[in-house]
Each structure stands twice: as structure tokens, then as C-alpha cells.
Amino acid sequence: MEKSYEKVIEYVKHGIGSGEIQAGEKLLPERELAQKLEISRNSAREGLRILENMGVLESQQGAGNYVSGNFDEILAEMLSFMYILKKIDVDKITEFRSTLEWGAIETGVKQATEEQRQKMMSYLDNLERAETEEERVRWDKAIHYLLIEASGNFCMLANYKALNKIMDEYIPKMRGKIIEGMHSEQFLSRAHRTLAEGFAEGNIEKAREGLKLHFHYIYQYL
């Protein structure tokens, strides 16, 4: 049996889904919402509080409740907590990361803007010029994040953002093991160059080859 406060959650969910309620829009006042949904004000208040705790709403003192305008960031934060709580290991992170990047590569390369293509080559240049491993990790992450971003797929991007929250520890360890196994960074660098150039040139096959090399080294040496 549906609890009264769940009517508030369903009302907001339906409104956002149908486009009747937009990001940044103010909701009805608590009293009006209770009347509209034929529930008590306490139930309306509880439903609004739950939505605020979920990050769907932002409460502004004296101004009311607004639909969050940065829900993608909140979603990424929630997902990252889930990954940590589930204690996802390096193998699972690698598998999920590979799935996301392979899923994004064709669309990302096809529809990347000229600005994104230029940015990719800038990231590659920064990676190859980096003098410290900390800098190399930063630009390594930037290259792969841009690939996902260019796909324009919100679901992929939200999950990749969440994954990035825990990859701060994962990527340095991964790179260290690969470089140690190869006795050189040369081959990993070649994979990044092939991927980045393929992306910048709009060459899907070349970008795929770079990504294939990248994950080949990860699976071989990790």
C-alpha cells in the first residue's frame, strides 16, 4: 500500500519525466502540494525531506524547494559511494571502465566538436610533456574522460564520473604496474597517442586500435 509521502516522490518524478517540472524550478509550497495530492502537510513535508536528502531538491531558506540543477553531480556522488560500499575490486573497475569506453568510442569520435578534438590533442601533448607521474595520471584521466564526454550519453557520463571518484587511487597503481611490467612507458604512451589522434582525426578505427592497445596492456600487466 502506497504511503502518503510517496505521493510527493511520485508527483515530482512524474513531473520531471514529463517535462512539466524543470531543473531549477520552484515546487508548489508545502501547503498547496498537500492539498493537490490530498495528503497531510506532515506527509508532504516528509516526502519533500526525502527528496532533498536524495539530492533531487534543494531547499532555500524562506524561498521554498527547487529541483536540483546539478543532479548529475549528485548522482555521480551517490554511485561512487555505492562502488566503495560494495568494495568493487580492481578487476571489476577495469571491466566496467572498459565497457563504458568501448560503448562510447564510436559515438564520441563521430560527434566530437572541433573544440573537443583540439582539447584531446592538447591533453595528449600535456601527457607526453609531463615531468611527474602525478601530472601523467591527471592527463591520462582527462583523455579518457573526454572520450566519454564527447559521446553525449548522460548515463555513461554519470557512471564514469562516479568511477573517477575511486580511480584517483586505481589509475596510479594501474599505471605503475603496467610500466613496471613493460620496463618502459613507451608502449602505454603509444596507445594514448593512437587513441587521441584517432579521436582528433575522426578516425574511428584508429581510435579503436588505441583503446584496444590500452586495455590490452592493462589486462596483460595488471
Side-chain angles (χ1 to χ4, degrees), residues 44-218:
R45 189 177 302 120
E46 184 176 4
L48 292 170
R49 180 183 58 80
I50 291 171
L51 288 168
E52 184 180 357
N53 289 340
M54 290 169 63
V56 177
L57 299 181
E58 296 175 356
S59 178
Q60 298 181 17
Q61 187 67 34
N65 296 292
Y66 293 80
V67 176
S68 176
N70 64 333
F71 192 62
D72 55 337
E73 296 294 336
I74 295 164
L75 176 60
E77 196 69 48
M78 290 170 65
L79 286 169
S80 69
F81 269 110
M82 182 191 74
Y83 299 152
I84 293 167
L85 288 169
K86 293 288 185 181
K87 302 187 186 304
I88 297 179
D89 60 26
V90 171
D91 288 342
K92 292 299 182 184
I93 291 173
T94 302
E95 182 182 349
F96 186 37
R97 180 185 171 195
S98 173
T99 300
L100 287 173
E101 293 191 33
W102 277 110
I105 192 165
E106 183 170 348
T107 307
V109 172
K110 277 183 178 178
Q111 64 183 33
T113 64
E114 185 57 34
E115 181 183 0
Q116 287 172 325
R117 297 187 196 281
Q118 291 176 7
K119 192 181 289 186
M120 180 63 86
M121 292 308 293
S122 172
Y123 289 168
L124 176 66
D125 186 55
N126 289 335
L127 175 63
E128 295 181 339
R129 290 172 179 269
E131 297 181 355
T132 67
E133 184 60 15
E134 183 179 353
E135 288 180 277
R136 283 187 281 273
V137 167
R138 175 188 173 189
W139 297 114
D140 184 328
K141 285 176 61 179
I143 285 171
H144 292 276
Y145 183 86
L146 182 57
L147 174 64
I148 302 290
E149 187 177 47
S151 75
N153 187 308
F154 167 77
C155 294
M156 285 185 177
L157 190 58
N159 275 282
Y160 206 78
K161 281 182 178 180
L163 207 57
N164 261 330
K165 301 280 185 181
I166 53 179
M167 283 202 299
D168 286 337
E169 180 178 355
Y170 156 76
I171 285 186
K173 289 181 179 178
M174 177 204 74
R175 285 181 57 88
K177 287 185 178 181
I178 293 173
I179 293 166
E180 182 182 354
M182 293 178 175
H183 307 293
S184 166
E185 193 177 333
Q186 176 185 352
F187 296 109
L188 188 59
S189 178
R190 187 182 74 173
H192 281 120
R193 172 160 283 280
T194 305
L195 170 60
E197 287 181 345
F199 180 95
E201 295 164 6
N203 186 329
I204 295 172
E205 290 307 314
K206 187 173 182 178
R208 281 178 177 152
E209 179 60 26
L211 195 62
K212 181 180 177 182
L213 280 173
H214 184 269
F215 281 103
H216 168 74
Y217 296 141
I218 289 178

